[in-house]
Amino acid sequence: MSLVTLQSVKKDFGIKEILKDASFSLDATDKVGLIGTNGSGKSTLLKMIAGLEPIDGGQILANSGAKIIYLPQQPDLDENHTVLEQVFADSGKQMELVREYEEVSDKLAHAPEDKQLMARLSSVMQLMDSTGAWELETNAKIILSKLGITDFHAPIGTLSGGYRKRIALATALLSEPDLLLMDEPTNHLDANSVEWLQSYLNRYRGALLLITHDRYFLDKVTNRIFEIDRGDFYTYSGNYSYYLEKKALAEESAISSQRKHQGVLRRELEWLKRGPKARSTKQKARIDRIHTMQETEFKQAQGKVDIATPSRRIGKKVIELNNISKAYNGRALIKDFTYEFSPEDRIGIIGGNGAGKSTLLDIITERIQPDLGSVEIGTTIHIGYFNQHSDELQLALNENQRVIDYIKEEGEFVKIADGTRITASQMLERFLFPGNQQYAPIHKLSGGEKRRLFLLRVLMSAPNVLILDEPTNDLDVQTLAVLEEYLEEFSGCVIVVSHDRYFLDRTVDTIFSFEEDGNIRQYPGNYSVYLDYKQAEEVQQQQTTNIKDKSKNVETLQTKSPKETETKKRRGLSNWQKREFEQLEGKIAQMEAEKAEAEKAMANVPPGNYTQVQKLYEQVETLKQAIDKATERWLELAEIES
């Protein structure tokens, strides 16, 4: 079933043609990744489908019965709502029941003998059962928790932009639309949340059209790729890897066709120069064909960012962190951390949101001081800091300033690594800012183009220590691929904070992991190697737990009298004891599974449903006693058999 169909859609912003003639359909089973360079019109296309941006030509046909939800990069939320109220904002009657249930439960906690309150609570609970409100609230809390939000009653107005984006994402997922339009959903998510979202969308029954820079995410989630390339629209049936393969073949074919065309045209022009008499119809047709070939234009391969920037010598002493510690409001973010950065370091910093990653970067760059310890920076060091925070980006970019004037502040001319001296305008062209954009005000640029412009300014300052705080946010996949190649050749120290697994795998060889209580652990290798280490640690920890459990069992056996144990050993197992021994193994495993299910159910019981909690608690306790008794009997029989 087609949910949305675009027929010959056109869009033009004056200085840039976004879509020339785009036609496609989105079906109920489509999971589509939309790619293109920053400023190519990806976000504009989502807004047009959502009905938030007008089209300049063609038509968009939407299935009247289809529910379409649009998740922008900067969602507009009600600051007076709490987290749960925002998530349930479109839930109508269900949200009213949840709110009333919580209000009555709170009153009943202070007046447990009030019969009217008890009757009202019972009535509300029945309505919640019949409308599915219990399930809605449980699902909302699960999704919020998986996205790193645990304070469900926090006012929206007190939360950061990253938290607001995650709340908007939870709201969109909970609404379960027929078509979900998502603009950079992985921004502001840590690696664990991205993994969960990837798994969730793989199971999602509705259609998706999403923009993301996360190439692993694109590969795992999508089954189609749409591409916008300088106004032209292309579709590919497959994931991101399939797209890359077909794109490379298409470009090779286009180059081959262009060369063949040029060869034929050259021979035809030579024939024309010999002055053939255009008397016959065939000769006239041939001359007309030559003129047509001369007018034929071939689209050049898609432009790529050329990161050829100045370089600077780096000395042996880079940056030394000596026993640094930092805490906020009594919470330790960094505790007693020491590290000496080398000129060849490629460091990736990972950890949950709010763990202290950006704080560490601010200490390294001396923007803030540690509570304890010291930071020493070498005399030859020049730090280039590419910051993730949009507020600082706004300060760095004067929205009314022309693009070229912003770059000229760093220098009218730049001498790059190979000795070539190029102008600020040429540098902008290398970063895919054509002449007509260079003299436009910065506020005309897309969010991704502003990030790319800021990156150019940072690199033009010729840093020998490059610090990148979430560089993949808002940069397109083409620019990221070139940035990764640049970092491989960069002659200096690189420090990266990122949740992008692909980017970390390509660019770093050491991981700093923020763990509990402000501890920072070091792991050799890239992000995939780090995951292997963590998996091995979990296996080892489980084995250690099993050994401890077995030791306890042995100690239990050793408390029995030697005479009793010796008698059992001599006796051996009878036939019926052997059958009992074999049956106990399966019985214990079954009871363990039932206990786990009961514990899981108890954790998901809605707040205030005391009867259900008590019932499940009694079930768990009964199973525990039965498991202990069966295990003790199994150990007795095992000792006799041995």
Side-chain angles (χ1 to χ4, degrees):
M1 179 184 70
S2 177
L3 300 174
V4 174
T5 299
L6 273 70
Q7 296 178 349
S8 302
V9 170
K10 297 176 175 59
K11 184 66 181 178
D12 194 330
F13 281 131
I15 63 171
K16 183 184 293 184
E17 190 175 27
I18 299 298
L19 289 174
K20 297 175 183 176
D21 185 13
S23 298
F24 64 87
S25 290
L26 287 169
D27 295 332
T29 58
D30 281 335
K31 289 183 169 57
V32 184
L34 178 60
I35 64 174
T37 57
N38 290 133
S40 61
K42 301 187 298 296
S43 296
T44 301
L45 178 57
L46 292 193
K47 291 176 184 176
M48 289 192 293
I49 295 173
L52 303 175
E53 180 74 35
I55 60 177
D56 296 331
Q59 58 180 341
I60 298 178
L61 306 173
N63 188 317
S64 59
K67 183 179 181 182
I68 300 175
I69 295 292
Y70 168 57
L71 176 68
Q73 288 196 46
Q74 303 295 331
D76 184 21
L77 306 182
D78 188 334
E79 296 198 350
N80 295 317
H81 277 168
T82 65
V83 172
L84 272 184
E85 286 172 344
Q86 181 64 48
V87 170
F88 292 139
D90 297 327
S91 301
K93 180 65 175 178
Q94 290 174 316
M95 180 57 207
E96 293 177 12
L97 289 172
V98 171
R99 189 182 292 117
E100 185 176 2
Y101 167 77
E102 292 182 349
E103 182 181 335
V104 175
S105 295
D106 184 61
K107 290 179 179 178
L108 194 59
H110 294 89
E113 303 300 325
D114 191 320
K115 293 183 178 179
Q116 287 186 336
L117 285 176
M118 292 177 68
R120 183 57 192 156
L121 182 65
S122 176
S123 175
V124 171
M125 289 170 65
Q126 289 177 7
L127 287 171
M128 290 180 72
D129 282 332
S130 62
T131 59
W134 287 122
E135 184 179 355
L136 183 70
E137 184 186 30
T138 301
N139 288 342
K141 290 180 178 179
I142 290 173
I143 291 173
L144 287 167
S145 299
K146 293 294 185 181
L147 295 176
I149 299 171
T150 54
D151 187 354
F152 305 135
H153 301 288
I156 298 294
T158 65
L159 302 177
S160 67
Y163 272 91
R164 295 184 188 202
K165 177 66 178 286
R166 279 178 267 163
I167 291 166
L169 174 57
T171 305
L173 296 178
L174 196 67
S175 65
E176 296 186 343
D178 299 296
L179 173 60
L180 184 53
L181 308 171
M182 310 173 82
D183 196 346
E184 295 289 359
T186 62
N187 279 5
H188 308 295
L189 297 184
D190 59 32
N192 289 335
S193 295
V194 172
E195 289 277 1
W196 174 84
L197 179 60
Q198 177 179 293
S199 176
Y200 185 93
L201 293 180
N202 277 330
R203 302 189 306 271
Y204 184 69
R205 294 182 180 179
L208 302 172
L209 176 58
L210 59 91
I211 302 167
T212 181
H213 59 265
D214 190 319
R215 286 148 289 180
Y216 283 154
F217 194 86
L218 273 175
D219 240 14
K220 297 292 186 182
V221 172
T222 63
N223 55 29
R224 293 178 74 191
I225 295 291
F226 291 170
E227 180 187 24
I228 302 176
D229 181 5
R230 291 161 288 181
D232 291 328
F233 190 85
Y234 303 94
T235 66
Y236 300 84
S237 298
N239 63 6
Y240 182 67
S241 295
Y242 178 87
Y243 154 78
L244 289 177
E245 180 184 344
K246 294 300 179 183
K247 181 71 172 177
L249 291 174
E251 289 184 351
E252 289 176 8
S253 177
I255 292 171
S256 176
S257 297
Q258 186 174 0
R259 286 174 180 168
K260 184 177 180 180
H261 174 88
Q262 290 170 342
V264 173
L265 180 60
R266 185 174 60 253
R267 290 191 296 272
E268 291 295 294
L269 288 172
E270 289 173 355
W271 174 81
L272 193 60
K273 287 177 183 178
R274 291 199 294 268
K277 295 179 181 180
R279 294 176 181 173
S280 70
T281 304
K282 287 184 178 180
Q283 287 175 323
K284 287 182 180 179
R286 187 171 181 180
I287 291 170
D288 290 341
R289 187 171 68 250
I290 293 171
H291 291 316
T292 302
M293 290 181 71
Q294 286 178 310
E295 294 172 359
T296 302
E297 293 183 1
F298 284 87
K299 190 170 187 177
Q300 300 299 313
Q302 185 173 7
K304 291 184 178 180
V305 175
D306 181 4
I307 305 183
T309 54
S311 61
R312 190 188 304 254
R313 186 185 71 85
I314 185 170
K316 291 183 178 180
K317 182 175 180 178
V318 182
I319 300 171
E320 296 179 3
L321 306 179
N322 302 305
N323 304 108
I324 63 167
S325 296
K326 187 68 179 179
Y328 283 108
N329 299 322
R331 176 173 168 253
L333 295 181
I334 302 167
K335 186 168 67 176
D336 195 25
F337 181 62
T338 296
Y339 188 79
E340 183 177 334
F341 292 92
S342 74
E344 300 82 20
D345 264 343
R346 297 289 188 272
I347 307 294
I349 302 175
I350 64 173
N353 292 304
K357 304 184 296 296
S358 295
T359 300
L360 178 60
L361 297 190
D362 286 339
I363 290 174
I364 292 172
T365 56
E366 298 187 309
R367 294 187 171 200
I368 61 175
Q369 296 297 315
D371 298 335
L372 298 171
S374 62
V375 179
E376 298 178 23
I377 299 178
T379 55
T380 65
I381 298 307
H382 183 86
I383 296 175
Y385 191 5
F386 185 60
N387 202 319
Q388 68 156 319
H389 299 294
S390 58
D391 54 346
E392 295 199 21
L393 181 58
Q394 293 294 336
L395 292 173
L397 297 174
N398 179 349
E399 293 283 302
N400 294 316
Q401 188 178 24
R402 295 189 307 179
V403 171
I404 193 165
D405 293 334
Y406 173 73
I407 291 301
K408 281 183 176 180
E409 287 179 350
E410 193 63 45
E412 294 273 354
F413 295 89
V414 175
K415 188 175 182 180
I416 60 177
D418 64 3
T420 305
R421 193 166 179 262
I422 62 176
T423 66
S425 179
Q426 289 172 319
M427 284 297 297
L428 282 167
E429 287 178 355
R430 288 168 177 246
F431 262 63
L432 302 188
F433 293 102
N436 60 338
Q437 267 194 310
Q438 293 180 18
Y439 290 90
I442 289 174
H443 69 78
K444 291 283 188 180
L445 302 180
S446 70
E449 287 173 320
K450 291 176 184 177
R451 292 277 289 173
R452 195 193 319 139
L453 184 66
F454 186 45
L455 175 63
L456 172 59
R457 177 75 179 261
V458 170
L459 297 180
M460 280 183 65
S461 67
N464 49 25
V465 173
L466 190 54
I467 298 179
L468 307 173
D469 191 1
E470 296 290 1
T472 63
N473 284 359
D474 300 324
L475 289 181
D476 57 74
V477 293
Q478 292 91 339
T479 301
L480 288 175
V482 178
L483 177 59
E484 288 158 1
E485 293 173 6
Y486 169 79
L487 293 178
E488 288 180 2
E489 304 298 327
F490 180 72
S491 57
C493 175
V494 177
I495 305 169
V496 178
V497 168
S498 181
H499 64 268
D500 190 313
R501 302 155 294 172
Y502 190 100
F503 189 81
L504 288 172
D505 277 351
R506 280 287 310 272
T507 58
V508 308
D509 53 27
T510 301
I511 293 289
F512 287 176
S513 174
F514 274 74
E515 305 195 350
E516 294 180 355
D517 301 323
N519 293 311
I520 302 175
R521 285 189 63 184
Q522 300 173 34
Y523 295 85
N526 60 18
Y527 185 74
S528 291
V529 175
Y530 157 79
L531 289 179
D532 291 340
Y533 274 103
K534 296 299 289 183
Q535 186 176 6
E537 286 178 358
E538 289 175 4
V539 170
Q540 185 177 9
Q541 186 177 6
Q542 185 60 47
Q543 290 174 343
T544 302
T545 302
N546 292 340
I547 290 171
K548 288 181 178 178
D549 290 343
K550 288 180 180 178
S551 298
K552 288 180 180 178
N553 292 337
V554 170
E555 289 175 4
T556 302
L557 287 170
Q558 288 175 344
T559 59
K560 297 181 181 296
S561 67
K563 182 178 180 181
E564 181 183 2
T565 304
E566 183 63 26
T567 302
K568 287 182 179 178
K569 281 184 179 180
R570 285 198 308 267
R571 216 170 39 223
L573 290 178
S574 64
N575 290 333
W576 67 267
Q577 285 176 325
K578 287 180 181 179
R579 285 195 298 272
E580 182 187 9
F581 181 72
E582 293 169 356
Q583 291 170 356
L584 277 171
E585 290 182 344
K587 186 177 179 181
I588 291 170
Q590 182 181 349
M591 289 190 295
E592 288 282 5
E594 290 175 3
K595 183 170 76 73
E597 284 294 321
E599 289 172 340
K600 182 179 178 181
M602 189 164 60
N604 292 327
V605 171
N609 195 343
Y610 309 115
T611 304
Q612 182 69 4
V613 170
Q614 182 63 29
K615 181 179 177 182
L616 288 168
Y617 175 80
E618 290 173 357
Q619 182 181 348
V620 169
E621 289 301 308
T622 301
L623 284 167
K624 279 182 180 179
Q625 294 175 11
I627 290 169
D628 289 342
K629 185 176 180 181
T631 302
E632 185 177 354
R633 176 58 178 164
W634 183 88
L635 288 169
E636 290 175 0
L637 295 173
E639 182 65 15
I640 295 171
E641 187 182 42
S642 63

